[in-house]
Amino acid sequence: MDGTPDFKPLYLQVRDLMVRRLASGAWRPGESLPNEFQLADEFGVSQGTVRKALDELAAQNLLDRRQGKGTFVAQHTAQRALFHFFHLVADSGERALPGARMLSLGRAKADRQEAAQLGLKTGALVVRLKRLRLLGKRVALQERITLPGALFANFTDRLPVDVPNELYRYYEERYGVTVARAVEKLKAVPARADEAKALGLKSGAPLLEIDRLAYTVDGRAVEWRRSRCDTARHHYLSEIV
Amino acid sequence: MDGTPDFKPLYLQVRDLMVRRLASGAWRPGESLPNEFQLADEFGVSQGTVRKALDELAAQNLLDRRQGKGTFVAQHTAQRALFHFFHLVADSGERALPGARMLSLGRAKADRQEAAQLGLKTGALVVRLKRLRLLGKRVALQERITLPGALFANFTDRLPVDVPNELYRYYEERYGVTVARAVEKLKAVPARADEAKALGLKSGAPLLEIDRLAYTVDGRAVEWRRSRCDTARHHYLSEIV
DNA sequence: GAGTGGTCTAGACCACAGC
DNA sequence: CTGTGGTCTAGACCACTCG
């Protein structure tokens, strides 16, 4: 008569409570959490149960546990950007964070596609960025980024040249928006004339298109990014375990 | 005076012993392992420590734990091939295992590149396969596969048409070679004339090249695969957590 | 030395599968 | 009902960090 499976281990309940704290901003990036025994007291469970919840969150890169120091809310760092969110690698194997050159930055009304991707109404306010990125000294990709205007108020107040290269850290520090997860869809596409020119290629040259939707810990889409990359000297690295 | 960090938790030692059993074939795909208490006795540790080792291996997809039933050595199934090792998805979101049409199958001496990828000497015996794969009813990619001849004796005895579509299951069942891990490198490349013809495209059309090296649990490279895909109606899906 | 997370153990009990 | 893995607890001890 009820159909609910309705059994949820304690440690998952504790984990979900913790996720809520992270999502609400009660625990902010970089902060240290109370120790395991204090958390156990607070949630009314044993230290072992808290530990299992913490380990789950650490496995999802939401927390950072350091023996001897404590448990910290994960933060976007250059390292994380490089190894976790940026998958283009030089064919030689070297990795380096790409430079960026902003082309434009402005507000607009979401077109149908942007609205669909970000879960907004068509015509809702969005922020649009367009930039080139350099791998080594060579311009290797062009990207367009769309953000929901509601979450990123006054984004366009700053001069394009003053917007930092590492956006996820910037979103986190300035807007309290933490990207926790992303989905990328890759295709091979022909370069449009303007892209070809920007990247120093012939029109129609093959580019790797990376279409990324980034989500917060509570599942809201907060960035749509479409990059088109010259992969003559680089590749996208994907590890399957 | 020694420099060795030399502290290895018990559960990792136990895990490594188990990995050796898996690598040696003492535990074979599909087999069930002794229960946790029996393993604990055997290794001379507590059940909790064995559990931690088992959980590690299950997280790496080397074991399959089923409540109420037991712990089993992971096996390559259609499901696993589809969700774990095959990342091309229709733009609609549908996933389906692609059909295959073998074009050629034969022995050869490894060229420089094949030897380097697979860790063989140039001129060592290899098996080469070439096939087309269909997504839906449409030919969507062409791939060339190279295997070390030493591990796949008599592979070419079978008629090309009789080699099954799901290769990893076949490697596992017929040759005792289990693929545990793979690394893929993606690029956008122009179609060569023959590829264009096979895929029904114009020469120079953009293709997604997927260059995959597959490894066994003990780290030997056992397959090099290079696929070139038409991504007009499909994309490569990559999830970042 | 004090405080943190990490490991190891032992035991009780729960949920699930299958006879 | 029995056997399996899964959860929860409690306590001892180890390794790492920092003052």
Side-chain angles (χ1 to χ4, degrees):
Chain A
M1 256 311 165
D2 84 35
T4 48
D6 249 354
F7 162 71
K8 203 167 189 184
L10 253 186
Y11 77 91
L12 291 180
Q13 298 178 37
V14 171
R15 179 199 62 181
D16 291 347
L17 288 173
M18 290 176 170
V19 167
R20 282 237 278 281
R21 293 205 184 174
L22 293 168
S24 73
W27 287 342
R28 306 182 69 84
E31 270 187 23
S32 89
L33 269 54
N35 74 34
E36 297 179 347
F37 286 96
Q38 291 168 325
L39 288 169
D41 271 5
E42 193 177 332
F43 290 114
V45 298
S46 77
Q47 173 260 0
T49 300
V50 165
R51 167 181 293 273
K52 219 177 162 191
L54 292 171
D55 285 345
E56 286 253 322
L57 297 175
Q60 288 170 60
N61 293 302
L62 297 177
L63 296 180
D64 188 8
R65 312 200 72 193
R66 293 181 227 151
Q67 184 171 170
K69 300 186 73 174
T71 300
F72 302 81
V73 180
Q75 228 172 347
H76 280 279
T77 63
Q79 284 306 305
R80 189 160 180 221
L82 185 50
F83 287 95
H84 208 73
F85 282 98
F86 191 76
H87 287 186
L88 283 180
V89 178
D91 288 341
S92 64
E94 281 178 301
R95 307 181 86 131
L97 260 188
R101 186 184 308 153
M102 190 76 72
L103 297 179
S104 67
L105 166 60
R107 278 174 291 190
K109 291 185 177 176
D111 64 27
R112 191 186 305 275
Q113 212 177 5
E114 289 170 323
Q117 294 282 358
L118 294 171
L120 306 172
K121 288 181 181 151
T122 306
L125 191 67
V126 295
V127 176
R128 275 197 206 128
L129 293 77
K130 211 167 150 183
R131 45 181 204 168
L132 293 174
R133 305 198 77 181
L134 292 76
L135 293 163
K137 301 206 165 171
R138 191 183 296 267
V139 173
L141 67 93
Q142 182 168 20
E143 64 190 1
R144 194 197 55 176
I145 299 173
T146 306
L147 308 172
L151 294 177
F152 294 91
N154 309 322
F155 198 102
T156 49
D157 287 356
R158 190 166 281 206
L159 288 177
V161 71
D162 290 329
V163 174
N165 180 352
E166 281 179 53
L167 288 179
Y168 287 1
R169 178 138 58 154
Y170 185 59
Y171 298 165
E172 181 169 280
E173 286 176 0
R174 190 167 153 92
Y175 298 97
V177 172
T178 298
V179 170
R181 195 172 72 76
V183 175
E184 295 192 330
K185 298 177 180 178
L186 283 69
K187 278 177 180 274
V189 301
R192 292 192 315 261
D194 63 307
E195 293 165 340
K197 193 175 172 195
L199 300 175
L201 302 170
K202 287 183 186 154
S203 184
L207 295 180
L208 181 64
E209 175 182 279
I210 306 176
D211 192 312
R212 177 195 290 179
L213 254 184
Y215 299 88
T216 56
V217 65
D218 50 335
R220 288 171 301 152
V222 288
E223 182 202 63
W224 179 37
R225 181 185 293 219
R226 176 167 281 181
S227 313
R228 292 188 166 211
C229 320
D230 174 12
T231 53
R233 291 171 189 78
H234 296 80
H235 58 266
Y236 181 100
L237 187 63
S238 173
E239 311 207 34
I240 305 175
V241 180
Chain B
M1 254 312 165
D2 81 37
T4 47
D6 250 354
F7 163 70
K8 203 167 188 185
L10 254 186
Y11 76 92
L12 291 180
Q13 298 178 36
V14 171
R15 180 200 62 182
D16 291 347
L17 288 171
M18 290 177 169
V19 167
R20 282 237 277 282
R21 294 204 184 173
L22 292 168
S24 73
W27 287 341
R28 306 181 68 83
E31 270 186 24
S32 90
L33 268 54
N35 74 35
E36 296 180 348
F37 287 96
Q38 292 167 327
L39 289 170
D41 272 6
E42 193 177 331
F43 290 114
V45 298
S46 77
Q47 173 259 0
T49 300
V50 165
R51 168 182 293 273
K52 221 178 160 191
L54 291 171
D55 285 345
E56 285 254 323
L57 297 175
Q60 290 171 58
N61 292 302
L62 297 176
L63 295 180
D64 188 7
R65 310 199 72 193
R66 292 181 225 151
Q67 184 172 167
K69 300 184 74 173
T71 300
F72 302 82
V73 180
Q75 229 172 346
H76 279 280
T77 62
Q79 283 306 304
R80 189 162 179 217
L82 185 50
F83 286 96
H84 208 74
F85 281 97
F86 192 76
H87 287 185
L88 283 180
V89 178
D91 288 340
S92 64
E94 281 177 302
R95 307 180 87 132
L97 259 187
R101 186 185 307 154
M102 190 74 74
L103 297 179
S104 68
L105 166 60
R107 280 174 290 190
K109 290 185 176 175
D111 63 27
R112 192 185 305 274
Q113 213 177 5
E114 289 171 322
Q117 295 282 357
L118 294 171
L120 306 172
K121 289 183 179 150
T122 307
L125 191 68
V126 296
V127 176
R128 275 197 205 127
L129 293 77
K130 211 168 150 183
R131 48 181 201 167
L132 294 174
R133 305 198 76 181
L134 293 77
L135 292 162
K137 300 204 166 172
R138 191 183 298 266
V139 174
L141 69 94
Q142 182 168 23
E143 64 190 0
R144 193 197 57 175
I145 299 174
T146 305
L147 309 171
L151 294 178
F152 294 91
N154 310 319
F155 198 103
T156 49
D157 287 356
R158 190 168 281 205
L159 288 177
V161 70
D162 290 331
V163 174
N165 181 351
E166 279 179 53
L167 288 178
Y168 287 2
R169 177 138 61 154
Y170 184 59
Y171 299 164
E172 181 169 279
E173 287 176 359
R174 189 166 155 93
Y175 297 96
V177 172
T178 297
V179 170
R181 193 172 74 77
V183 175
E184 295 192 329
K185 298 176 180 178
L186 282 68
K187 278 177 180 274
V189 299
R192 293 193 312 263
D194 63 308
E195 292 166 340
K197 193 175 171 195
L199 301 176
L201 302 170
K202 287 182 187 154
S203 184
L207 295 180
L208 181 65
E209 175 181 278
I210 306 176
D211 192 312
R212 177 195 290 179
L213 254 184
Y215 299 88
T216 57
V217 66
D218 49 338
R220 289 171 300 153
V222 288
E223 182 201 63
W224 179 37
R225 180 186 295 220
R226 176 166 280 182
S227 312
R228 292 188 165 211
C229 319
D230 175 10
T231 53
R233 291 172 189 77
H234 296 80
H235 58 266
Y236 181 100
L237 186 64
S238 173
E239 311 206 33
I240 305 175
V241 181

